[in-house]
Amino acid sequence: MEAESHSVLLVSRDNKIISQISAFLVQPLFDLTTTSDFNEARRLVTERTFNIIIADSGDGYDTDFAINVADSYSTILLLVPNEHFDEISYRVEGYGILTITKPFEPFYFYNMMKIAIAVQYRVQILSSQTIKLKVKMEEIKQVNRAKMLLMQQLKMSEAEAHHYLEKEAMNRGLKRITLAEEIIRMYG
């Protein structure tokens, strides 16, 4: 299996942290974008999807950016000062944000990145499943609408409309949704 590149946005006003993290997150495994401006980071997030966003909370109380982007499909890692870790971690964990203390040991940071990658894979799987469910729900809604039109226009019972849709789709080699859309165009 070929290694996949992970897009990462690093937002920090601390050049030491940017240098330290940049040394870990190298090509080809990571596609790293860095900025020291949180407004620029907000713009970047609206233009592009990042797998992982690492936000340095500065003194620990600058968590607004992380919370604002938490509803994206990105995995968020928030760097917080050790002395504020428990308080901030408790406050942001409900948003699905992972917290890491700073300063951090390289091995600790490496392990947190492995966790962030695993979480990102899980998010991708769940979002794919969500999309499939939405499509299926829309299909069911259209089929039910077609059944309702058959019941209204052709005075069929619900069971007759259901049977008609199943049989007609099978006889014509169509998917139920295709036949349902045809019926909706015809009677709707």
Side-chain angles (χ1 to χ4, degrees), residues 28-61:
L29 191 54
F30 296 98
D31 174 21
L32 180 64
T33 303
T34 62
T35 183
S36 59
D37 183 349
F38 281 88
N39 290 324
E40 171 73 4
R42 281 180 182 82
R43 186 187 64 74
L44 289 168
V45 168
T46 61
E47 293 175 355
R48 178 177 170 200
T49 301
F50 292 93
N51 299 121
I52 301 168
I53 298 174
I54 303 170
D56 179 5
S57 70
D59 63 1
Y61 294 102

Side-chain angles (χ1 to χ4, degrees), residues 109-122:
F109 179 76
Y110 172 79
N111 284 332
M112 286 303 289
M113 285 303 297
K114 297 299 273 181
I115 290 168
I117 290 169
V119 167
Q120 184 57 40
Y121 281 129
R122 182 46 103 188

